[in-house]
Amino acid sequence: TDVVGEYLEAYRSRGIVAGLYFSILDLTKGIGRNRCNKEDKEYTKEQFYELLTNYGEIPFIIIDGWNAHWGGPYYKDMPFEEMDEFVKKIQPNCLLINHSCETSLAHTDIVFYENAAGQEIKDGFNGPGCAGNILTNCWFWRATDPKMELKSAEWALNKINAANAQNVSFLINMSPNTDGLVDDNMAARFEEIGSKFNPPPAISQIPSNWMKR
């Protein structure tokens, strides 16, 4: 089955704008800091082309592993500028959001702070940024999750407000269990966060051309 297509259709059918996650560190193909040649770059471009021509408008792709200390290809071997230009020629408004552990816009359209890995938003930073967080102890589902004491709604709201004040979007992970469902405690916590969150008026007044920087 076309997993990407079904994923996007499931969200779009409910009025949710969905982006994609792409691991540029490819353990199956062997693309990483130990090997990234011309053929590997073309292979990666072919994957971007498939994602950006088969599924309609893709607002963003979150890249993982690029020039990262855990083993992705170096920028000198797979230049961000080259790949970004390739993506923008296909979909000019598609943002490349790079898990690079950097705090500048040199190799990303939006700075990604991985709060769950201890990367906090820098003082004086005024966006554009996003911050990834978790309610459990891990990005991925664990058998202990359904009975785990999750981080509180108050914790999430404090993080949301602090992030938004610096033009950073708060992202929070929700890992489905082995049945593809969300555990009851996780669903309840998300509902609690949603019921208590009152976004400031400015958030709902984003201009229609906000993606065109």
Side-chain angles (χ1 to χ4, degrees):
T1 185
D2 184 348
V3 176
V4 176
E6 291 196 12
Y7 157 78
L8 290 170
E9 174 57 28
Y11 278 89
R12 289 168 177 169
S13 68
R14 291 161 175 79
I16 300 173
V17 178
L20 300 173
Y21 170 99
F22 184 92
S23 178
I24 210 160
L25 167 62
D26 192 326
L27 299 178
T28 301
K29 192 70 174 177
I31 303 173
R33 61 174 52 192
N34 294 324
R35 195 205 77 193
C36 182
N37 53 38
K38 181 179 179 180
E39 290 72 24
D40 293 329
K41 283 200 300 182
E42 291 306 309
Y43 174 80
T44 302
K45 286 180 179 179
E46 289 172 3
Q47 291 187 304
F48 279 139
Y49 184 83
E50 178 183 344
L51 293 172
L52 295 171
T53 58
N54 286 354
Y55 303 103
E57 185 175 355
I58 304 297
F60 64 86
I61 299 178
I62 293 181
I63 307 292
D64 206 348
W66 214 340
N67 207 63
H69 57 77
W70 56 87
Y74 291 110
Y75 292 134
K76 64 180 178 62
D77 297 323
M78 189 179 293
F80 175 83
E81 295 80 5
E82 179 181 345
M83 306 306 283
D84 185 55
E85 181 181 8
F86 179 81
V87 167
K88 296 297 192 289
K89 283 183 178 178
I90 304 171
Q91 291 203 26
N93 287 334
C94 181
L95 298 172
L96 285 188
I97 305 174
N98 186 11
H99 274 275
S100 62
C101 300
E102 297 178 56
T103 56
S104 76
L105 294 170
H107 301 107
T108 184
D109 287 326
I110 294 177
V111 173
F112 196 108
Y113 290 97
E114 196 161 2
N115 286 171
Q119 189 183 24
E120 296 297 337
I121 304 168
K122 295 286 187 180
D123 292 338
F125 181 78
N126 193 36
C130 56
N133 291 269
I134 53 178
L135 291 175
T136 59
N137 296 328
C138 179
W139 285 109
F140 307 104
W141 185 85
R142 296 288 185 268
T144 54
D145 286 0
K147 295 183 179 180
M148 176 177 291
E149 182 60 37
L150 305 175
K151 293 174 184 174
S152 68
E154 287 70 26
W155 169 86
L157 293 168
N158 288 335
K159 297 284 283 189
I160 291 170
N161 292 328
N164 288 352
Q166 292 184 252
N167 195 24
V168 175
S169 296
F170 176 86
L171 308 179
I172 192 162
N173 189 62
M174 177 188 282
S175 297
N177 59 32
T178 52
D179 293 319
L181 303 174
V182 176
D183 293 323
D184 290 343
N185 60 339
M186 180 73 73
R189 182 68 83 243
F190 266 77
E191 185 175 7
E192 183 183 5
I193 294 169
S195 68
K196 292 182 177 180
F197 178 57
N198 294 307
I203 291 180
S204 61
Q205 296 173 4
I206 298 173
S208 59
N209 64 340
W210 69 277
M211 296 179 75
K212 299 177 181 179
R213 297 173 54 224

